Amino acid sequence: MTQVKLLLGTKKGAFILDGDGDRRDWALRGPFCETWPINHVIADPATGTIWAAGGNEWFGPAVWRSTDVGESWTHSSTGLAYPAGETPIKAAWSLALGPDGTLWCGVEPAGLFRSDDRGETWTQVTGLTSHPSRADWQPGGGGMILHGILPHPADADRLWVAISVAGVFATEDGGATWAPRNRGTRQDYAPEEQRYPEHGQCVHALAMAAGMPDRLYQQNHCGMYRSEDGGRVWTSIEAGLPSSFGFPAVAHPRDPDTLYLLPLNGDQAGRYMPDAAAAVWRTRDAGANWQALRDGLPQQHAYFGVMRRAMAADRLDPAGVYFGTSGGGLYASADEGEAWTCIAEHLPTILSVETLVRDG
């Protein structure tokens, strides 16, 4: 029997929702991780192991692990630190599992660590933090965070990261060297002659097209973009959207032309649903056209926001799509966004949503 689990990171611990292939009924478990702030929760679909990244300046950073689908948890921060004399790490913010089993972790202040033993110990990827542009990286409104990690699905040496506010960087040699990948993305808040710098853009989310690893989608602080060459050049695809500002972007699990977004009303206008009416926006043609999906979503007084990692899709057919809100609501669609249902309420602020689908 197919099992579907939704993995939530929140400001007060991790939560798990258990469902089946019908995705109609859900059972909530948690909070886990001793109610630490948990920024991102992921799972290995092959083994069911779950990892949760979190912490803050009081607790320090740590990556929690459960090998029994959330029944028990341990955590490790061994090696998850900068050298003495550097600004201490406040929290672990993002996780990703590479095709070779490498576990990656992004932290604040922005940096990248890797684990080759399933999260027991960590090693800093110094090639990124020693990049010549590092002195120019600046914190955004939420700090200077490496909040996105996108491994190539087949080539363990290729990886993209998203840093606020520095932009997208990529490696093709396992992290030894890095190159900025921001050409074509703009800085609306910079002087006119500096609108398209090599680095310094405020990337919000990265997504990879199914079956086309060099096609990337990016929601930026200043626009929505697509790249066909691994981020070397970006093209705007925001025409038709209600706003150029938003946080999450989620690719369809099979169709490289389908993408889901949750635009907000603007960076200085409240950062909530445009016109206070909730909608998930979907493209079926790689951003040429957009459609608002509203069935089942609140169309009045929807003043919530959705964080950069708080949206996900499962791999079933039709695909399920899910998002969590700053107000602690969790919405689900079992038909690729056509209709929505609120499946959990009154949770802490939801920071991340991921899925785990297991058969048998």
Side-chain angles (χ1 to χ4, degrees):
M1 182 178 68
T2 299
Q3 298 178 343
V4 181
K5 299 183 185 297
L6 305 183
L7 313 176
L8 310 184
T10 82
K11 287 191 173 182
K12 297 181 181 180
F15 291 81
I16 299 174
L17 279 86
D18 298 309
D20 59 20
D22 290 335
R23 296 165 292 183
R24 292 193 182 95
D25 299 313
W26 300 90
L28 178 68
R29 293 187 285 139
F32 302 117
C33 307
E34 298 178 7
T35 66
W36 280 33
I38 297 297
N39 297 309
H40 195 202
V41 186
I42 69 167
D44 181 351
T47 66
T49 299
I50 300 172
W51 293 276
N56 59 22
E57 49 262 66
W58 299 104
F59 297 125
V63 176
W64 296 73
R65 181 174 66 182
S66 174
T67 58
D68 51 15
V69 202
E71 294 299 322
S72 61
W73 296 79
T74 59
H75 70 81
S76 173
S77 59
T78 302
L80 201 61
Y82 289 140
E86 295 188 13
T87 301
I89 295 174
K90 293 182 179 180
W93 268 90
S94 55
L95 295 166
L97 191 63
D100 61 348
T102 299
L103 186 63
W104 302 93
C105 179
V107 302
E108 177 192 10
L112 183 66
F113 288 75
R114 65 178 292 157
S115 173
D116 298 308
D117 55 13
R118 311 285 286 178
E120 290 286 346
T121 60
W122 298 91
T123 303
Q124 184 184 358
V125 181
T126 56
L128 180 62
T129 42
S130 63
H131 191 271
S133 68
R134 177 63 179 82
D136 299 329
W137 299 0
Q138 298 294 326
M144 190 172 73
I145 302 166
L146 197 154
H147 55 71
I149 307 170
L150 202 60
H152 190 284
D155 186 346
D157 286 335
R158 297 185 65 190
L159 190 76
W160 294 262
V161 298
I163 301 172
S164 176
V165 175
V168 176
F169 286 77
T171 181
E172 297 186 352
D173 54 16
T177 61
W178 295 80
R181 296 281 175 89
N182 302 295
R183 185 177 301 170
T185 58
R186 65 184 186 273
Q187 280 186 338
D188 289 342
Y189 41 84
E192 185 68 34
E193 66 277 7
Q194 300 175 20
R195 287 288 169 87
Y196 293 90
E198 183 180 37
H199 56 80
Q201 290 87 333
C202 188
V203 56
H204 283 179
L206 288 175
M208 181 182 290
M212 298 177 63
D214 279 323
R215 173 182 284 181
L216 305 179
Y217 296 99
Q218 177 187 161
Q219 173 67 68
N220 195 282
H221 190 106
C222 307
M224 185 65 210
Y225 302 91
R226 186 187 72 240
S227 173
E228 300 289 348
D229 56 7
R232 290 174 175 83
V233 178
W234 296 90
T235 302
S236 173
I237 55 171
E238 65 197 62
L241 291 170
S243 168
S244 61
F245 180 87
F247 285 99
V250 171
H252 190 278
R254 289 173 299 280
D255 181 1
D257 292 336
T258 296
L259 184 77
Y260 297 89
L261 300 180
L262 268 159
L264 302 181
N265 66 342
D267 60 346
Q268 299 183 42
R271 300 191 178 197
Y272 53 78
M273 297 289 105
D275 301 319
V280 173
W281 289 75
R282 182 182 65 194
T283 179
R284 293 289 202 187
D285 52 15
N289 297 280
W290 296 92
Q291 174 190 11
L293 308 173
R294 301 181 183 274
D295 187 8
L297 297 178
Q299 295 304 291
Q300 291 183 322
H301 313 307
Y303 294 104
F304 55 75
V306 178
M307 304 303 184
R308 68 181 83 248
R309 302 217 63 105
M311 190 178 187
D314 66 37
R315 62 173 176 80
L316 299 182
D317 189 8
V321 188
Y322 313 88
F323 71 90
T325 75
S326 58
L330 182 66
Y331 292 85
S333 170
D335 55 9
E336 309 212 345
E338 295 296 332
W340 297 86
T341 303
C342 183
I343 61 173
E345 295 182 282
H346 314 307
L347 294 173
T349 296
I350 298 173
L351 302 174
S352 72
V353 178
E354 298 286 0
T355 66
L356 171 62
V357 177
R358 304 198 76 192
D359 299 318

